Every structure is written in C-alpha cells, then in structure tokens.
Amino acid sequence: MDRDIREEIYETALAWVREAGVNIRNKINDPLVVDTKSNPNDLVTTMDKETESFFVSRIKEKYPTHSIVGEEGYGDKLTSMKGTVWIIDPIDGTMNFVHQKRNFAISIGIYHDGIGEIGIIYDVMADNMYHAKYKNGAYKNDVRLLALTKKSNIEEAIIGMNHFWLCENRLVDERIMQKFVKRIRGTRTYGSAALEFAFLAEGIIDGYLSMSLSPWDVAAGIVIVGEVGGGTTDINGLQLNMLEKNSILTCNMNIQDDILDYLKKAKK
C-alpha cells in the first residue's frame, strides 16, 4: 500500500473509532437487547450491531472498493485477502461489556493483499488507543511503545490464557498445560482477545494463548504486536489464515520456541 494512502486511511480510521467509542460511552447505561449466537456464552448486543453498521456504512461510502470482514455479518463474504480488507470487531469482549461495562475494545485491522498495514485497538472505557502502521511503530495514545523486553526464560513470563487450557478438552492434554502453568511466573485472563494483544504490546504480559479465535479477534493485534517485535502464529507455529478461525500464540519472540514445545507435546 502506498504510504500516503495508508496515512490517509489510518487517520480516517482513528477518527471513526473515536467517534464510535464516544457513542458507546454515551449509551453505556442504556437498556440493551442481549442475544446469544453459537452458545449461551457467545453474546451479541444491539450495540455490537449498531457499531459494526456504523463502520460498514462509513467504509462503503468513503472506500467503496475496499472489502469488509465483520463479526456481526454486515461485511462481505471473502474467499481471499486480495485488495484492501477491513477486519472489524465492533465490541471485543461483549461479555465484559454486558456484565462489567468495561474491559472491552473496538478492534480494527486493515490489510492489503494479505499484509497487515494498520492495527487499532481502542479500550473504550479507559480511553486508551493502541495503534500501529506497518513498519512505523506502535503507540498507546501518543506514546510510542518500546520493543518487547527480552526474556531469558519462560520462568519469568506472565501468559494470558483462560481455564479451558487446563480442563479436559479435545485440543490439548490438560496435564501438560498444567505443568506449563506451574513453570511460568503466572497467568492472567482479561476476557478480550484484542486487549490481551494490546497488553502484550505494552509489555504488561509476555504472551497470549487462545483457542479458536476468529480473524476479527486478532487482526488488529497482529499488526500492533508485530511493530514491537512480537510474533503471532497458530499453536503449531504456522502462519494464520486470516479468513478462518485459528488457535493462536502471540508472544515475545524469545519465549516462543519454549511455549511451542509445550504445545507440541500437549497437542492431541
């Protein structure tokens, strides 16, 4: 993507995200209609739909040749990442949004011919904007994020992961993952994949593991984490397919091999 075009899209996207964030904050205490999707814990609200519709209408008006992949289905059905593609999660962490009224984010990744050009994650209630452009660094608000601190071993690492890794499941041997948790310094779970990526980029955590994430959960975070020297793969260490669900590892590169070794042993 041409640098000037990327800059123009970047500034436009940031303005739209801020506008959407103001709308969410203004309506945070309004009555919500809450529905479920794939299971009783997979929530969607009127605000999710309203926010995605806002982005889609703006994109289609200003950038009619661009494609859109959105969680709530207002975008396009794509079979390739050719051209410019906006990958949108209007509210990442909907359960937090419903129950806590915080710890959720707007997440937008903008890709061109499969390359992540722009990543924006907006912690709406904290008013913290994490953002990055390809090969141009990552920022929290106006402060540039430093390269991830090198870790000499995983014993010092704090990893974002939820309890599903430690329970009986069809993906991994929970006994090996329990050994992994005992070896590292600690775990955290925030309930929003986008925020986990943002916190990794900020250096608050050192890695994040999650099962079966959709492209809109990770698209922005991949760009932001990449700009501070982190890496994102599936749990086999392979490149992600941005049009399918993936179980992912994103982390400080110094500890990537150690974590992948555990995952290799644990994989069923």
Side-chain angles (χ1 to χ4, degrees), residues 31 40-41 57-58 126 154 165 177 197 200 204 215-216 236 259:
N41 296 323
S57 63
R58 294 294 194 280
I154 65 170
W165 291 94
M177 296 310 297
F197 271 87
L200 169 59
I204 292 172
W216 45 80
N236 298 308
I259 298 175

Side-chain angles (χ1 to χ4, degrees), residues 77-243:
K77 302 296 183 184
L78 302 185
T79 57
S80 84
M81 290 290 289
K82 186 174 177 58
T84 301
V85 181
W86 296 59
I87 306 179
I88 301 170
D89 195 335
I91 298 180
D92 185 74
T94 301
M95 190 178 294
N96 291 349
F97 171 70
V98 171
H99 289 276
Q100 302 174 358
K101 301 186 188 304
R102 61 179 180 176
N103 298 325
F104 61 88
I106 298 170
S107 179
I108 295 181
I110 304 173
Y111 285 61
H112 184 73
D113 290 341
I115 296 172
E117 296 276 355
I118 294 167
I120 300 171
I121 295 171
Y122 186 39
D123 185 342
V124 175
M125 302 311 291
D127 191 22
N128 283 325
M129 185 79 75
Y130 298 85
H131 51 105
K133 290 177 288 187
Y134 181 57
K135 292 185 178 180
N136 214 356
Y139 294 79
K140 178 184 179 183
N141 300 319
D142 296 327
V143 178
R144 184 163 183 159
L145 298 175
L146 302 176
L148 293 177
T149 304
K150 294 184 182 298
K151 296 285 180 180
S152 59
N153 53 63
I154 65 170
E155 283 83 1
E156 299 175 358
I158 295 176
I159 305 298
M161 57 188 294
N162 62 33
H163 68 282
F164 293 114
W165 291 94
L166 307 179
C167 303
E168 184 177 356
N169 64 78
R170 60 182 176 81
L171 185 63
V172 294
D173 184 334
E174 68 278 7
R175 294 166 299 180
I176 294 175
M177 296 310 297
Q178 288 163 12
K179 291 179 181 178
F180 169 72
V181 167
K182 288 178 181 178
R183 185 178 173 193
I184 63 178
R185 178 161 287 172
T187 65
R188 297 291 184 272
T189 183
Y190 297 96
S192 163
L195 289 180
E196 304 260 13
F197 271 87
F199 295 159
L200 169 59
E202 193 175 357
I204 292 172
I205 59 176
D206 303 297
Y208 172 53
L209 278 167
S210 190
M211 299 178 184
S212 193
L213 291 183
S214 297
W216 45 80
D217 297 314
V218 302
I222 290 170
V223 179
I224 296 171
V225 166
E227 287 299 310
V228 293
T232 306
T233 67
D234 70 11
I235 61 172
N236 298 308
L238 303 176
Q239 184 176 345
L240 303 185
N241 183 330
M242 294 306 297
L243 295 176

Side-chain angles (χ1 to χ4, degrees), residues 23-41:
N23 183 61
I24 292 171
R25 285 196 297 272
N26 286 342
K27 296 181 178 180
I28 192 68
N29 293 312
D30 288 359
L32 281 174
V33 176
V34 182
D35 295 317
T36 60
K37 294 187 286 187
S38 62
N39 64 67
N41 296 323

